[in-house]
Amino acid sequence: PFALAVGAILSALAVLWIYPATGYSDDVMHWLETDVCGGNAHLVTLAFGVVFPVVHSGLASLRPLAEKVVGARAWRVVFASCSLPLAYSWIVYFIAHAHDGLVFWDLQPVAAAHAIAWTINFLSFFFLYPSVFNLKEVAAVEKPKVHLWETGIMRITRHPQMVGQVMWSAAHLAMVGSTFTF
């Protein structure tokens, strides 16, 4: 059941958002780039930086009320249906435009810098997901539960996700320092 649920959600994401012949991603990106931001990649990523958190946090704040109306599982599907396309588009756009603007440094050709960045990125995931033991909770199949761990990564920091995000961001910024990545 878990594999089927994840497969169905990812298939729907691919068909309805990613695949150019049937998805809406290209249309939304064209509208955002040309009509809203006038072709400025910095403004597009800034718009994603405003829209995604508002949608993601806004829908999360509606959860107690919405679950009473449509049910817990249905609400998690609605939540994922809005958050996943926006997150996908923001990440893809950012990767495609990381070299836009004024480039202060580009360490991608330096093998040692590349290896260090990959190592830091790998280690950051130990902080980003310290208590993800039940993947069904992450994929919105089961209701998430609060996990308070007093061992492992929680002994190092009380804010492991923030530490992991800073590590991940710093490693990426060290590779390409441009006005777009700052």
Side-chain angles (χ1 to χ4, degrees):
F2 175 67
L4 291 175
V6 172
I9 291 170
L10 292 179
S11 296
L13 178 65
V15 171
L16 297 174
W17 192 255
I18 298 170
Y19 185 59
T22 58
Y24 291 101
S25 179
D26 291 344
D27 300 329
V28 171
M29 288 307 305
H30 178 74
W31 170 77
L32 185 59
E33 282 183 312
T34 57
D35 297 342
V36 176
C37 298
N40 186 329
H42 291 75
L43 292 178
V44 173
T45 199
L46 179 63
F48 272 122
V50 171
V51 172
F52 176 77
V54 167
V55 169
H56 192 75
S57 298
L59 290 176
S61 70
L62 293 176
R63 180 178 164 188
L65 176 65
E67 285 183 350
K68 292 176 186 173
V69 176
V70 298
R73 282 195 174 178
W75 182 249
R76 288 195 298 272
V77 170
V78 168
F79 180 81
S81 300
C82 297
S83 291
L84 284 176
L86 288 172
Y88 168 83
S89 296
W90 191 9
I91 291 166
V92 169
Y93 192 84
F94 188 86
I95 291 169
H97 293 275
H99 291 89
D100 285 5
L102 180 61
V103 177
F104 300 113
W105 67 83
D106 184 358
L107 298 179
Q108 286 182 322
V110 180
H114 198 258
I116 291 168
W118 272 101
T119 302
I120 292 171
N121 281 324
F122 176 76
L123 294 174
S124 76
F125 283 93
F126 288 105
F127 289 88
L128 286 168
Y129 304 104
S131 62
V132 178
F133 294 109
N134 186 351
L135 291 178
K136 291 181 181 180
E137 290 178 15
V138 177
V141 174
E142 290 183 0
K143 184 176 181 179
K145 299 171 190 75
V146 175
H147 298 283
L148 298 176
W149 307 106
E150 296 300 325
T151 60
I153 206 73
M154 293 302 283
R155 290 184 322 189
I156 297 170
T157 176
R158 291 292 171 200
H159 304 285
Q161 193 164 17
M162 183 271 307
V163 170
Q165 185 65 51
V166 168
M167 289 171 65
W168 185 90
S169 299
H172 279 77
L173 180 59
M175 292 304 294
V176 179
S178 70
T179 54
F180 188 81
T181 58
F182 274 107

